[in-house]
Amino acid sequence: EEKIIAIIENLTGTKLKENRDIDLLENEILDSLAFIELITTLEEEFDIEIQPTQVEPNTWRNIKKISDLVEKLK
């Protein structure tokens, strides 16, 4: 989870350590470009393959859900 936080902070310039439960989409932290970069970075960092069409949109709402997805695909 810490690695995912660091990745998102690096991509967006938003500090998330203090607010892990923030809705990344509702608060416009992840825009479409950051979203694509996030998927690519997660795939490279964790050696996984993410098919966006097979993942529910709500998965990208917060760090916990993204972390759960990465764990499931490892």
Side-chain angles (χ1 to χ4, degrees):
E1 205 168 277
E2 293 300 320
K3 198 172 200 179
I4 292 170
I5 291 170
I7 290 169
I8 295 172
E9 286 181 342
N10 188 35
L11 287 174
T12 65
T14 303
K15 295 292 179 207
L16 299 172
K17 283 187 171 79
E18 301 82 28
N19 196 355
R20 294 169 180 255
D21 297 325
I22 191 168
D23 189 315
L24 301 171
L25 301 178
E26 187 176 298
N27 291 286
E28 298 179 357
I29 294 168
L30 282 181
D31 60 18
S32 55
L33 181 58
F35 176 71
I36 299 301
E37 290 177 354
L38 174 61
I39 290 174
T40 303
T41 305
L42 291 173
E43 288 179 329
E44 290 171 0
E45 286 289 322
F46 296 100
D47 195 29
I48 57 175
E49 187 175 333
I50 300 172
Q51 296 295 329
T53 56
Q54 297 174 331
V55 179
E56 290 186 34
N58 279 340
T59 300
W60 306 103
R61 290 210 167 266
N62 65 47
I63 293 163
K64 172 80 171 104
K65 289 180 180 182
I66 296 170
S67 181
D68 289 347
L69 171 67
V70 169
E71 284 300 315
K72 187 174 117 182
L73 295 175
K74 281 169 92 177

